[in-house]
Structure formats: structure tokens, C-alpha cells
Amino acid sequence: MHQRGKWSYWHRIFGAAMLMLPLHSALAAPEDDLLAARDAFNARNIARLNQYTQKLQGHPLEAFARYWQLSLKLDEARPEEVREYFNAFGDSFLSDRLRGEWLKVLGKQQNWALFTAEYPLLLNEDGDITCHALQARLALFPADNSPLTEAKRIWFNGTDLPSSCNPLFERLVQADMLFADDVFARLRLALELGNISVARRITQYLPAKYQGDLKPLEAIADNPQRHLEQKQADLSQRGAAEMALFAVHRLARTDHTQAAAYWEKLRDRFSPEDQGYAWGQLAFHAARKHDPLAVAWFIHAKGAPLSDLQLAWQARAALRVQHWPMVLEAIEAMSPQEQRQAMWRYWKARGLKATAKPVAANEIFAVLSREHNYYGQLALEELGAVIAPPAATYKASEEEVKAIAALPGLQRALGLYRANLRGDGAREWTWNIRKFDDKQLLAAAELARRNDLYDRAINTADRTQQLHDFELRFPSPHRDVMQSYARQVNLDDAWVYGLIRQESRFVQVAKSSVGASGLMQLMPATAKWVARKMGLKGFSHGLVNELDTNVALGTYYLKHVYDSLDGSPVLATAAYNAGPGRARRWQDSKPMEGMVYIESIPFNETRDYVKKVLSNASYYASRFGEKLTSLKQRVGTIGGKRNNSANEFSGEP
């Protein structure tokens, strides 16, 4: 008997067979109907949306049309309607999204009984729902003060919190559980993040006696130097002291040397705790600018409660000057969660090794070496080995792939990709594989590969714990094209593949939020500049997504920055992501270990990018049967900065 939201046996068999075909075939009727339903939803044309929802009945893509229907009337929807959706489409990420949206509606309506019944079923919670949940507990159990204790933990956040948290904070004030010290602590967090409007709202929780001293807040944000040049108010007053400290660390963001000079004149008027706080801020900004003074300033901040972010930069500053005891000290002061990160386990082991504790170091390296990532490779090499050509430990069978292809959730995901709704397709795919075991993950990765969804194949195969298929983790599509263009400019094609795997995951139509396009993610200005250098006639940016054009331009540019940056794959990779001028600026005046250069790249995205590209390149080299080169050798040593390098790339994009 056919049921709404379910496929019959023959629907499933036929659908699974269709999904084994390449994804780039013409849209089928269901995908056309889905796009029409989406357009109707965006236009709030309920009659047309209902029409296309009816046409999608019984198809996995019905989940989206039904979701759009409910979204337009969620404020008035009957609980039975919403729960019917959960029952029919619990295999879609939209089910949890809808439950979250419904909980927010119920919270605003203060329908606490229904909210409390649905809340435990939510998987992906956000701050808005958390605060509604605490409100519900206070309303239903007024004698229980534990929600206020939890609300106070939420308070210590420098970002803008949802409006649903405000009633909790008011209750904290009424219960005498929110003190001036708590408000000033959150004020600092907001100011450190540069959230000035949030900081101003936070000041409203302070008693009136502080308000006058906090009036210059916005003026300091605009011009901190002007505030520091003025005769300072009575710094024994808490508000005035906080404004002076804010001016110091605000100026340090752009000129830490000048900020330190002002601070030297003021510091004796502050408590030891505030002095430690200010030195911690100055050291953090100096470390991100690679100023060796950061090490001394972190020593001045000793004893101050530094954040994990500050401690990370303390460790990086110490690495650049090879101060291994400070590296270890900073790592050991981090939160347990931060210390568990692979990078800090690796550098802790390096620090132990450098301070004559090889047994303790090797214990860490041994565990870390079993991880298939940048730090796992480096740890393996510290133990005297180099990664061997990665062999598949498991290959999914045809039966396993067909079984995975028959799942409505993955059929829905592939239908979304066919409709070019790639974001929703990725979310649907990720939701449906979240509980898969290794064999199911590899079958799903193979299904993705057969549909040319290399990004899904990579991300899915990357999740396995015991069984692995490195051909799916490191696919090599378009090998003839890649090899041809890489060899024309004398580039290592394993490096090119490693870069593309990180740039676009082999999604040919990929476009970044800043406008980079194609497999090698070329910015419009870069593509135009390279095309001119190559002498390409009739080039237009519309050609940049074409496979041959994109790879030709990308490999030429990669070779250009490689040759311009001392033949260093580290500098060239950093340059490809952040620009050659920055890559050069991050060098030291003297040579340094390549891993230290990478670890101290100021941009989080670029730092992570360089690690992954070079790690990828090592895996691709072993896959392609190239001579095994250790990752440490590949990274090498970064030479000292040249004196005449300031304007070296001034004419380049």
C-alpha cells in the first residue's frame, strides 16, 4: 500500500538504477518540479507551491516542497501537521531544521509544555533555542535555580547573543547573580573581538556610577591613539581604567609597538592583574605580526588568565625563536580540549624531544602517527618512517553500492545535485551518512564518485576509522589534462592535485564567496593577469570554468609564484591562497624550519590550507608511484627574507 513520503519497491529499484547513471544528464521531471516549487515558495505563491508539492508526492524530493509549505505557516501550524512531517521525512536534515524553527516559534509563544515535549528530540541546537529551553525550565519549575546558573555561563560571550537570552539575564540581575565584575568581564570579551555595538549594550547592565566613564567607547574604537594622547581620567575608577585598557589593545591591532609605548607610560597606574591582561593583549598582537618582542611580553603576562587563542600565539611566537620551554608552557596552559588538537600534540612532542625527553615524545608521536593527516605524517616521520603508497583496505562491492543507492535520503541528495542545489545536496548527503559504518561510508563514497561528486566522495571516505580506500580519499580525475599542463611548466602534478583537492574538491563549477572560480579557484583579476602573461587572445572570465583553460591558467600562476618565491612549495602554496606579498612578508630575517613558518601563518584559513595541500601532495605522490619524499623534506627550510622584497609583487593581483 503506497504511503505519503515512502517509495514503493519498484520506485526504489528504478530510482537506484537511475542514480547509478552520471549526474550531469538532463533534469528529470521531479527536479524540474522541485525548482518550480522553490520559485513558488520564494514568491510566497501558496497555490502554485501546493500544485508542485502534489506532483512530487511519493518522491524523496517531496520533503523539500512539504518543508516550504510548512515554513510559510509555521506560526499557525497545528502540532499534528508538524509531527506528520517529522514522521514522513525523518531521514532528511530538513526534519531537524524544521523542529528547530518550530521550537523557536513555540518559545516566542511561551508554549512551554509543547516546547518541552519536542526539545529533547532536537539534534542541532543553537543559542536561541538553548535560551528558550532555560526559560521553559524556569517557567515550569520556578523553585529550580539551576537554569540561572547555566544562563550565567552563557553570559560570558563577546558575541551578540539571541534576544531569547535577555529575559534570563534580567532574571540574573533580579536574583543578585550578575555582578559588576561579570559585566566588565563580558565587556572585555566583546571589545577584544571588536564588537563595539555589543559592548555598548553590555554596559547597560552596569550601575549608573560607571556609565559616565564609558561614554568614550565608540570614540576610542574610531581613534584609540587620540584617547591615549589625552590626559587620562582617574584610572582608579573601574570604567576609566577599562577604557584606557581598551585604547591600548585597540591600537595594538594596527600598531603594537606604538601601543606598547603608551602602555609603558600608564602601566604603573594599574593593578598587577590589569597589567598582566594588557601585556597579554600586546603580546598576542605582536605575535601575529611576528615581532620577536612578543616572547618578552608574554613573559610579562605570566600569571594572567590567557585565552586558548592567546596561548596558541604564545606557542607560535616561541616556535619562531625556538624557545621550547615556552612552547611547552603555553601548550600545558591550554584547555584540555585545545591540548587534544593534533597540532598541539605534535608540537608538545617536538618540545619534549628538544628538551631531552625522547621517551615521552615518542609516546605521543606513536599515537599521532596513526592519524591520516598532516601531523600524523610528520609524527610518523619523527619515528623514522615515511608514508608508503596508501593501499585500499576495503573496496565496496556492487551489492553494497546498490544498497546505499536505494536509500531515499541519498536519492534525495543526488536529486538536489541534479537540480544544481548543491548546498542542500551536500547537507542532505551529510545528514544521511552521519551514522554509517566504514563499509557503508565507502559504498556511499563510491556512489558519489560514479556520479562525479568528488567532493562528496572525498568527504565521505575521509570519515572512515578502520577501513580505508585512499583512491576515494584522493581521487585523480582528468589525469591526462592535469599531467599535460603541469609538465608544460615543470610542476609536480602530485602538488597540483593536492592543491585542487583543497581548493575545489574537483568541483568544476565551484565558486567561492569572494569570486574565485573553477577547479583551481582563480580570482577574476588573477585569471586576467595570467591570461595576459600567457598571451591568450580573446580571453574572457566566462572561460575560467572550462577545464583546460582553468588548469592552464592555474598551473601557470602556481609555477610563477613558485619561481618568484625561492622555489619553495610552502611559500608558493601560501601565496596561491593569500597572495605572494603576504607569503614573503611572513618570512623571518633568517632561515627557519618550514613547519614553523606554516604554523605561524597569521591567517587561520591559509595556515590550514598550506598544511592540507602539502599533506595531500604527499599522499598523491605515493599514489602515483613517485619516489617517496618525506613531508618534512617537501616542506623544507624557508630562507631568510630579502631586504629588497617589500615591493617585489606590487604589480601583481
Side-chain angles (χ1 to χ4, degrees):
M1 188 76 175
H2 178 72
Q3 296 177 352
R4 179 186 285 269
K6 307 290 184 183
W7 272 26
S8 69
Y9 172 79
W10 289 110
H11 275 133
R12 291 189 183 211
I13 295 299
F14 177 72
M18 290 296 291
L19 292 174
M20 302 293 279
L21 298 175
L23 197 66
H24 41 68
S25 54
L27 284 184
E31 285 78 43
D32 283 332
D33 293 338
L34 177 71
L35 293 175
R38 181 201 57 179
D39 293 343
F41 166 72
N42 290 335
R44 303 185 73 83
N45 187 332
I46 295 174
R48 190 166 176 80
L49 175 57
N50 292 344
Q51 173 189 347
Y52 283 101
T53 302
Q54 183 65 30
K55 294 182 73 173
L56 286 166
Q57 185 173 341
H59 191 281
L61 292 174
E62 181 190 0
F64 276 75
R66 291 272 305 281
Y67 168 80
W68 291 327
Q69 281 182 318
L70 279 169
S71 293
L72 291 177
K73 60 174 186 176
L74 199 54
D75 288 355
E76 301 87 29
R78 291 178 292 105
E80 300 78 38
E81 290 180 274
V82 184
R83 284 171 169 159
E84 181 190 355
Y85 183 92
F86 300 151
N87 292 333
F89 303 110
D91 64 340
S92 173
F93 80 95
L94 290 175
S95 183
D96 198 61
R97 176 187 283 184
L98 184 68
R99 180 171 274 112
E101 291 166 355
W102 191 35
L103 284 168
K104 291 176 185 179
V105 169
L106 296 175
K108 288 175 183 176
Q109 295 171 347
Q110 298 193 7
N111 187 341
W112 301 126
L114 192 50
F115 180 99
T116 303
E118 288 296 325
Y119 175 65
L121 302 174
L122 183 70
L123 296 181
N124 293 306
E125 185 171 350
D126 62 24
D128 195 3
I129 296 170
T130 298
C131 285
H132 278 308
L134 293 176
Q135 283 194 60
R137 285 166 55 190
L138 285 171
L140 296 173
F141 307 101
D144 181 10
N145 266 346
S146 63
L148 291 180
T149 303
E150 294 177 41
K152 189 163 182 178
R153 286 197 289 269
I154 293 170
W155 167 264
F156 295 105
N157 192 312
T159 61
D160 198 7
L161 294 171
S163 59
S164 60
C165 299
N166 293 337
L168 297 170
F169 301 151
E170 295 298 335
R171 288 285 298 272
L172 284 171
V173 173
Q174 295 164 14
D176 291 327
M177 294 176 65
L178 193 66
F179 307 108
D181 283 349
D182 300 325
V183 181
F184 278 115
R186 187 177 174 208
L187 179 63
R188 283 186 178 182
L189 292 172
L191 294 176
E192 287 165 17
L193 294 174
N195 292 333
I196 308 305
S197 60
V198 175
R200 176 56 73 191
R201 288 195 291 276
I202 292 168
T203 65
Q204 297 169 10
Y205 287 90
L206 285 168
K209 67 178 181 178
Y210 296 109
Q211 298 297 336
D213 288 332
L214 298 175
K215 284 182 180 177
L217 195 156
E218 286 81 7
I220 294 170
D222 290 339
N223 193 333
Q225 185 174 349
R226 182 188 301 158
H227 183 81
L228 291 168
E229 286 172 348
Q230 296 170 356
K231 183 178 179 181
Q232 293 299 308
D234 183 1
L235 295 181
S236 66
Q237 298 298 313
R238 181 72 180 272
E242 288 295 334
M243 290 299 93
L245 288 168
F246 171 45
V248 168
H249 77 69
R250 184 76 171 183
L251 180 58
R253 294 169 63 170
T254 53
D255 191 339
H256 62 277
T257 305
Q258 192 173 36
Y262 282 111
W263 173 241
E264 289 284 5
K265 298 175 184 177
L266 292 173
R267 64 173 180 161
D268 290 340
R269 299 167 66 183
F270 287 84
S271 69
E273 292 78 15
D274 283 345
Q275 288 187 37
Y277 172 77
W279 283 121
Q281 291 296 321
L282 289 166
F284 167 69
H285 290 294
R288 294 185 74 249
K289 299 286 179 59
H290 299 150
D291 189 332
L293 281 171
V295 171
W297 292 353
F298 274 120
I299 292 172
H300 287 325
K302 191 167 185 175
L306 302 182
S307 68
D308 278 343
L309 180 60
Q310 288 172 301
L311 291 166
W313 278 100
Q314 181 180 3
R316 292 179 180 122
L319 279 171
R320 285 181 75 97
V321 297
Q322 297 292 281
H323 191 327
W324 289 106
M326 180 177 277
V327 172
L328 291 172
E329 178 186 322
I331 294 171
E332 287 163 5
M334 294 174 184
S335 66
Q337 180 180 3
E338 188 70 11
Q339 288 190 48
R340 286 194 291 271
Q341 297 295 317
M343 63 179 164
W344 300 127
R345 287 186 284 142
Y346 173 76
W347 288 114
K348 181 177 181 178
R350 285 285 307 275
L352 291 169
K353 185 175 179 179
T355 53
K357 297 174 183 173
V359 175
N362 287 341
E363 286 176 357
I364 297 173
F365 286 139
V367 175
L368 188 55
S369 68
R370 294 194 285 270
E371 298 180 15
H372 299 290
N373 56 41
Y374 172 81
Y375 293 104
Q377 289 171 274
L378 291 176
L380 186 67
E381 292 172 10
E382 290 290 338
L383 296 171
V386 180
I387 63 164
T393 59
Y394 190 82
K395 285 283 185 184
S397 67
E398 282 299 316
E399 292 72 21
E400 288 172 318
V401 177
K402 287 178 181 177
I404 288 295
L407 296 175
L410 292 188
Q411 292 177 359
R412 185 183 301 117
L414 294 180
L416 291 163
Y417 274 103
R418 275 196 298 275
N420 203 29
L421 300 177
R422 299 188 64 89
D424 284 329
R427 284 184 281 273
E428 192 67 47
W429 184 278
T430 302
W431 178 265
N432 276 274
I433 67 169
R434 71 192 189 283
K435 295 182 181 178
F436 281 8
D437 62 26
D438 283 359
K439 290 183 178 181
Q440 291 172 310
L441 286 169
L442 293 177
E446 174 60 19
L447 175 66
R449 186 196 65 77
R450 293 181 187 186
N451 283 277
D452 295 338
L453 296 177
Y454 296 106
D455 58 330
R456 292 302 97 210
I458 292 167
N459 292 358
T460 305
D462 264 347
R463 290 169 174 258
T464 58
Q465 299 297 313
Q466 303 296 327
L467 305 176
H468 307 296
D469 185 341
F470 281 87
E471 288 184 11
L472 292 172
R473 285 195 183 199
F474 297 94
S476 52
H478 320 300
R479 185 75 197 278
D480 53 342
V481 174
M482 300 293 185
Q483 233 174 14
S484 171
Y485 286 109
R487 289 178 180 177
Q488 282 180 33
V489 292
N490 197 27
L491 276 183
D492 172 15
D493 60 332
W495 180 29
V496 175
Y497 266 102
L499 185 141
I500 293 174
R501 184 184 188 270
Q502 189 59 26
E503 283 284 356
S504 65
R505 289 288 201 259
F506 304 99
V507 178
Q508 198 165 327
V509 296
K511 188 164 186 177
S512 76
S513 58
V514 294
S517 299
L519 288 182
M520 296 193 72
Q521 289 289 278
L522 292 162
M523 292 292 289
T526 303
K528 185 177 179 181
W529 183 85
V530 175
R532 188 169 62 249
K533 292 278 286 185
M534 293 177 67
L536 295 181
K537 304 296 184 183
F539 174 77
S540 66
H541 191 67
L543 298 172
V544 79
N545 277 331
E546 291 186 358
L547 176 64
D548 282 79
T549 303
N550 191 274
V551 177
L553 295 172
T555 51
Y556 184 96
Y557 182 66
L558 185 59
K559 175 63 172 176
H560 167 73
V561 293
Y562 177 76
D563 289 342
S564 303
L565 290 165
D566 313 329
S568 166
V570 171
L571 293 178
T573 303
Y576 198 92
N577 181 264
R582 289 193 181 100
R584 180 69 84 191
R585 191 159 62 245
W586 297 333
Q587 289 177 260
D588 202 350
S589 57
K590 59 184 181 302
M592 74 165 70
E593 187 181 336
M595 279 97 73
V596 173
Y597 173 92
I598 294 168
E599 201 63 68
S600 58
I601 289 173
F603 297 170
N604 295 343
E605 178 194 322
T606 306
R607 189 185 324 121
D608 184 62
Y609 173 89
V610 175
K611 293 174 190 176
K612 288 180 177 173
V613 168
L614 294 172
S615 173
N616 293 346
S618 290
Y619 279 114
Y620 274 111
S622 60
R623 263 211 65 202
F624 296 161
E626 296 178 10
K627 180 182 177 182
L628 291 183
T629 302
S630 73
L631 180 55
K632 198 167 184 176
Q633 286 176 298
R634 187 178 288 274
V635 169
T637 299
I638 306 301
K641 192 187 307 183
R642 296 199 299 266
N643 291 329
N644 61 348
S645 63
N647 300 312
E648 187 178 354
F649 303 102
S650 57
E652 297 187 13

